[in-house]
Amino acid sequence: SSETWVLLALAEDALGQRDEAVHNLRQALTLMPWNALAHFNLGRLLWQQGRLAEGSAHLRRFTELAPDDSDAPRITALLQDNP
């Protein structure tokens, strides 16, 4: 399931396996394109890799899917400061 891919990606991220985590978050989004948590974490990881444009697209999608999430205002401000 999409949630399983996200959990695997989070574990890989914690272990420093960021390329694998990115791959698995993409898998999660293939199964469930509206998975806000997958968009958030994929955007975050891509930003950490310096892939700002691609990361921003996923972070933007996160704020669209989960506007009431506690992280949404911070992410919206971040995107406005880094268009």
Side-chain angles (χ1 to χ4, degrees):
S1 74
S2 180
E3 292 86 4
T4 302
W5 287 110
V6 171
L7 290 174
L8 179 58
L10 293 175
E12 290 168 335
D13 180 33
L15 294 171
Q17 299 170 351
R18 293 197 171 70
D19 290 338
E20 293 86 348
V22 166
H23 172 77
N24 288 323
L25 289 166
R26 291 186 194 284
Q27 292 287 85
L29 290 171
T30 298
L31 294 172
M32 190 184 294
W34 58 91
N35 186 324
L37 184 60
H39 280 288
F40 173 79
N41 284 291
L42 182 53
R44 177 182 59 78
L45 286 172
L46 291 169
W47 261 59
Q48 288 175 350
Q49 293 178 341
R51 297 160 65 181
L52 301 183
E54 188 180 1
S56 293
H58 286 284
L59 291 173
R60 198 168 292 107
R61 186 69 179 130
F62 161 75
T63 63
E64 293 167 359
L65 292 168
D68 296 328
D69 187 279
S70 62
D71 286 317
R74 179 176 58 86
I75 298 302
T76 299
L78 176 73
L79 292 172
Q80 288 173 346
D81 291 343
N82 299 280

